[in-house]
Amino acid sequence: MDSFIQQLINGITLGGIYALIALGYTMVYGVIQLINFAHGEFFAAGGYVGVIFLSFFTGLGYMESYPVLCLTASFLLAMGYCAYLAVGVEKIAYKPLRKEARLAVLLSALGVSIFLSNGLMLTQGVYDKAYPSELFQGGFHFGNVTVGYLQILIVSLTATLLVALNLLVFKTKIGMAMRATAQDKTMSALVAIGSNRIISLTFAIGAGLAAAAGIMVGLYYGSVRYDMGFVPGIKAFSAAVLGGIGNITGAMLGGLIIGMVEIFGAGYISGEYKDVFAFIILIAVLYFKPTGIMGENIDDTRV
Amino acid sequence: MIQEFKKVWKQYSITMLWLLGLLWPLLGIHPDGTLSFEKTVTVWSYILAGTFVCLVIYIINSSGHLKIFTEPVVGTTRKFSGIAQAMPSWIWLCGLFVCAIIYPLLTGRYATDVAINVLLYICLGLGLNVVVGLAGMLDLGYIAFYGVGAYTYAILNVNYGLAFWFCLPFSAFFACIAGCIVGYPTLRMRGDYLAIVTLGFGEIVRIILNNWMTLTNGPNGILGIKPIGILLPVMENGFTFEMFWVKKLAVFYYFALALAIIAIIAVKRLNFSRIGRAWESIREDETAAELMGVNTFNYKLLAYAMGAIFAGLAGALFAARMRFVSPESFTFLESVMVLCMVVLGGMGSIPGIVLGVIALIALPEVFRELESYRMLVFGSTMVIMMLFRPAGLVPAKRVGMRSEERE
């Protein structure tokens, strides 16, 4: 029973991270119907920029005196950096192709993904880059169950970001504009919503969330790698599909489910095949219920 | 000239400033708490200089000032193509064939090795072309079928001692089965979903190859695969047959050449058959194709199976040449590389794909010292091709005309 609860806690932690990445996929898909292959690279870039700033602050000696401030600053800077990256990528590689065939944008996105991951490799090196490890050691112990401080941080931060996003999308004018653009670009343009700005904003928010997830993964596993965006990217995409692509609540739920399935699958079935479970869920969902658990109105062209 | 292209210059300078902002945190912030600018500025100015030259050439060319240089070139190429068209195409094909035959006799071991690589990738590229170029389905797990073919030969040969020629159909068969397994559940989807699912399938195959220790020996791979054996008649004491193992690269080259030629002929024949027409109609408009009586499901499945068969054959040959297979040869990046060849050359065009393969295999061999930038170039090639020349270097010829073109 103890191990079950432990797995549950680990699953929630991982699921939250997947949910953050999945949101970027689902929001971009909702607005321009494109699978942004480069999204996994935004996540990896976030992890790298996070470690760069964290070690910079450690080098300056601020890390010991103001750890919370430094961590917050690193998160904000990494999120800002990735938002900046994503907006540029959208302008260069996706926007000119918006009217072209679907295959062209998809191939362009794939090219960007390869380009970015190799750009990271060339600037940061092929080897793993270690996160400062002295942060958030230890945790609470309840019998045999351990809840690390880091896990509490990750879960609470994820929850905060998700609530903030929900408020942004469902309670503000900008969110209303985003939803309007997702539903009908022509009509929203008629009521004076600039679709280009909304698309840029969507990319920026998605990439910012992915960057936060990147730092969390770096803190959780202790290191980052230039190609770390690939597998979590597909899993997060599976999560987005599971929840119903284009649906924000669905992506959060899907992320949690994928995280749980991966942890429990690794714990009770086979650790070696843990990456396979997410793909099997993806294929099964697309085959039996292509609209996902939360998706309702999907027109024929989407699936 | 500056006025005309004001917008281009503005966009270019914004992009370059954006790039500078992107590069600096990665290169200029150090873990010891110092900031530096030299390295960032050096790297950035290299990129700036390179792209600036390209942009200037592009602008001069599109404003027509480059005619002094391009006109003689265009004139001579036109003259040559006039001569080329005067002679029947079989003469050119024969010439190419003879060149391909005598190639290993003239070059060294290394060049032959590269040429074998090119031929195997031509086979792979043509197989992927059936799926992506003809039927219009983006397949990102294509290398999995190559892996299935290679492992089929390796396992049958090492565990059961079966000969290459006996295993070759099995390699094709199992790759075809794998193609149907991935095709059957995914063909209800369109476009982008298909891409992700095939990507996931490719990863599943790689993970299985990596972890199924008893069958595939895991990450260590399978060693000691026999090369191709052929029976040669020996006249010495009476008429007997003797087994001859193809270990020399120059001899192996001819097998790869034969496979590539078979693939080229097969894809060409498929393209201009009823099946090829059906695939192209599915690519252009699936709903319309279905209305015209094309059984889209069967034809899409057939496209997958055909593509997989070519990959399986190439895989068996790959295993016979390397005499060692490991899951590392069948990663996602390999799939991307094959896809990049097809995109660069031109989807659906056979000469284009041959050209694309040669460009992406032979050029990196020439620029060996720039090896680490290879994938970077591949990625940007894909984006640039999509932006400026989506049909590829040698665009495929369309059969027939669209109604709007005729008017």
Side-chain angles (χ1 to χ4, degrees):
Chain A
M1 193 61 203
D2 279 352
S3 97
F4 178 80
I5 295 171
Q6 184 71 57
Q7 303 277 28
L8 195 69
I9 293 165
N10 295 347
I12 290 174
T13 317
L14 193 65
I17 293 173
Y18 285 151
L20 280 180
I21 312 172
L23 280 169
Y25 277 111
T26 212
M27 285 165 69
V28 167
Y29 197 92
V31 177
I32 56 170
Q33 280 82 46
L34 158 77
I35 294 177
N36 182 12
F37 273 107
H39 196 68
E41 270 57 50
F42 298 158
F43 158 78
Y48 264 109
V49 177
V51 71
I52 287 171
F53 280 110
L54 276 178
S55 43
F56 175 68
F57 291 136
T58 316
L60 282 178
Y62 292 163
M63 204 65 206
E64 282 147 36
S65 30
Y66 315 103
V68 179
L69 200 64
C70 288
L71 200 65
T72 319
S74 303
F75 262 101
L76 289 178
L77 284 167
M79 288 164 81
Y81 180 87
C82 284
Y84 175 74
L85 170 71
V87 170
V89 162
E90 196 269 329
K91 288 267 186 280
I92 294 173
Y94 302 160
K95 197 180 158 199
L97 294 170
R98 222 176 269 163
K99 296 236 159 39
E100 301 283 319
R102 283 293 256 311
L103 198 61
V105 201
L106 218 54
L107 287 171
S108 174
L110 193 62
V112 170
S113 159
I114 300 159
F115 183 85
L116 288 181
S117 77
N118 281 278
L120 277 178
M121 184 192 82
L122 286 174
T123 52
Q124 299 295 311
V126 199
Y127 303 107
D128 291 19
K129 209 162 173 121
Y131 259 73
S133 56
E134 62 275 15
L135 288 164
F136 307 108
Q137 290 294 334
F140 299 111
H141 298 276
F142 306 100
N144 289 327
V145 180
T146 312
V147 186
Y149 294 137
L150 194 58
Q151 283 179 320
I152 294 172
L153 175 85
I154 289 175
V155 170
S156 53
L157 203 55
T158 310
T160 318
L161 285 171
L162 294 185
V163 169
L165 182 78
N166 256 330
L167 286 179
L168 177 78
V169 173
F170 293 108
K171 296 280 187 249
T172 62
K173 271 252 162 87
I174 299 173
M176 203 190 268
M178 280 171 76
R179 282 179 289 142
T181 314
Q183 264 186 10
D184 191 331
K185 267 197 236 8
T186 325
M187 272 315 279
S188 61
L190 283 177
V191 293
I193 297 169
S195 65
N196 281 340
R197 285 180 64 185
I198 294 297
I199 290 169
S200 294
L201 185 73
T202 312
F203 267 87
I205 294 174
L209 294 176
I215 301 188
M216 287 178 196
V217 164
L219 287 169
Y220 195 52
Y221 292 109
S223 67
V224 282
R225 231 181 109 81
Y226 72 97
D227 58 356
M228 75 173 196
F230 176 55
V231 173
I234 315 174
K235 284 181 193 161
F237 180 77
S238 312
V241 171
L242 176 61
I245 193 114
N247 187 314
I248 288 176
T249 327
M252 299 179 188
L253 205 65
L256 277 178
I257 294 173
I258 293 279
M260 294 284 188
V261 167
E262 184 180 330
I263 292 284
F264 281 107
Y268 293 108
I269 302 172
S270 155
E272 288 153 351
Y273 289 101
K274 76 182 167 71
D275 289 345
V276 173
F277 302 122
F279 302 141
I280 290 172
I281 289 183
L282 174 70
I283 295 172
V285 169
L286 284 176
Y287 192 66
F288 292 110
K289 197 170 182 340
T291 53
I293 29 182
M294 304 279 289
E296 302 126 29
N297 46 353
I298 252 181
D299 51 323
D300 187 40
T301 52
R302 287 203 187 171
V303 180
Chain B
M1 195 177 106
I2 301 288
Q3 277 299 315
E4 276 172 57
F5 294 97
K6 211 174 161 188
K7 203 180 160 201
V8 176
W9 284 115
K10 197 180 147 198
Q11 280 174 350
Y12 175 70
S13 35
I14 291 176
T15 311
M16 279 296 132
L17 285 177
W18 173 75
L19 189 69
L20 183 65
L22 216 55
L23 276 175
W24 180 70
L26 293 179
L27 291 173
I29 301 178
H30 303 293
D32 52 359
T34 52
L35 302 173
S36 71
F37 293 96
E38 297 95 42
K39 201 181 171 196
T40 320
V41 175
T42 339
V43 172
W44 183 67
S45 49
Y46 277 132
I47 300 171
L48 187 73
T51 47
F52 187 78
V53 170
C54 292
L55 192 69
V56 165
I57 292 174
Y58 170 76
I59 284 179
I60 296 177
N61 188 25
S62 51
S63 65
H65 289 278
L66 217 63
K67 271 195 183 136
I68 323 152
F69 302 106
T70 51
E71 237 161 31
V73 176
V74 170
T76 40
T77 45
R78 212 168 270 155
K79 221 181 270 170
F80 266 108
S81 64
I83 298 168
Q85 266 156 21
M87 276 192 271
S89 59
W90 64 266
I91 292 184
W92 291 103
L93 289 179
C94 282
L96 269 179
F97 183 67
V98 170
C99 286
I101 292 284
I102 58 171
Y103 177 81
L105 306 177
L106 301 177
T107 54
R109 196 187 145 79
Y110 175 68
T112 312
D113 196 42
V114 174
I116 291 172
N117 238 340
V118 167
L119 292 170
L120 287 181
Y121 273 101
I122 285 177
C123 191
L124 276 178
L126 288 172
L128 186 62
N129 174 48
V130 170
V131 185
V132 179
L134 298 185
M137 303 180 287
L138 183 53
D139 184 350
L140 294 177
Y142 186 66
I143 214 72
F145 308 133
Y146 187 49
V148 168
Y151 265 91
T152 304
Y153 173 52
I155 291 165
L156 288 181
N157 183 266
V158 171
N159 291 359
Y160 305 103
L162 299 176
F164 176 80
W165 299 109
F166 189 77
C167 297
L168 195 63
F170 277 98
S171 283
F173 175 73
F174 281 116
C176 174
I177 294 285
C180 292
I181 288 173
V182 63
Y184 186 76
T186 54
L187 287 181
R188 280 173 48 186
M189 307 156 201
R190 287 183 184 183
D192 17 19
Y193 281 90
L194 192 65
I196 287 276
V197 171
T198 49
L199 197 162
F201 177 78
E203 278 299 293
I204 290 179
V205 167
R206 198 183 58 82
I207 293 168
I208 289 174
L209 291 182
N210 227 340
N211 290 322
W212 194 350
M213 288 305 281
T214 47
L215 188 69
T216 66
N217 200 19
N220 304 328
I222 299 177
L223 263 170
I225 302 165
K226 285 253 166 57
I228 301 175
I230 35 176
L231 285 175
L232 285 182
V234 179
M235 290 298 184
E236 271 169 19
N237 34 4
F239 187 78
T240 52
F241 284 103
E242 199 171 280
M243 200 58 146
F244 171 70
W245 298 106
V246 180
K247 286 181 181 167
K248 257 184 96 169
L249 274 181
V251 183
F252 187 85
Y253 169 86
Y254 292 111
F255 287 96
L257 184 67
L259 181 72
I261 289 175
I262 290 170
I264 289 174
I265 294 172
V267 171
K268 195 168 169 70
R269 302 279 298 164
L270 272 174
N271 193 358
F272 290 100
S273 68
R274 196 185 165 79
I275 298 171
R277 292 281 83 84
W279 281 337
E280 286 194 7
S281 70
I282 291 171
R283 179 188 68 194
E284 295 300 323
D285 191 331
E286 203 174 323
T287 320
E290 203 153 352
L291 278 172
M292 296 307 290
V294 175
N295 188 338
T296 52
F297 187 85
N298 282 0
Y299 276 109
K300 280 158 86 176
L301 201 60
L302 187 66
Y304 254 102
M306 277 293 167
I309 285 173
F310 286 117
L313 292 175
L317 222 60
F318 172 78
R321 181 190 73 149
M322 301 302 279
R323 298 167 65 190
F324 166 69
V325 285
S326 79
E328 265 167 44
S329 312
F330 311 109
T331 56
F332 172 63
L333 280 181
E334 288 290 311
S335 284
V336 170
M337 218 163 87
V338 180
L339 187 65
C340 196
M341 290 161 186
V342 175
V343 170
L344 179 70
M347 283 179 275
S349 123
I350 295 171
I353 287 165
V354 174
L355 193 69
V357 172
I358 293 172
L360 289 186
I361 299 282
L363 284 187
E365 298 293 335
V366 178
F367 300 106
R368 255 261 115 92
E369 60 269 34
L370 302 175
E371 171 77 23
S372 52
Y373 298 96
R374 203 174 63 153
M375 289 317 283
L376 202 69
V377 174
F378 281 11
S380 43
T381 308
M382 264 165 107
V383 178
I384 292 169
M385 288 307 283
M386 282 301 122
L387 288 177
F388 296 105
R389 211 182 154 93
L393 290 176
V394 185
K397 281 199 195 86
R398 290 183 76 98
V399 180
M401 259 188 281
R402 288 177 161 241
S403 56
E404 61 262 34
E405 284 164 10
R406 202 179 293 150
E407 279 153 15

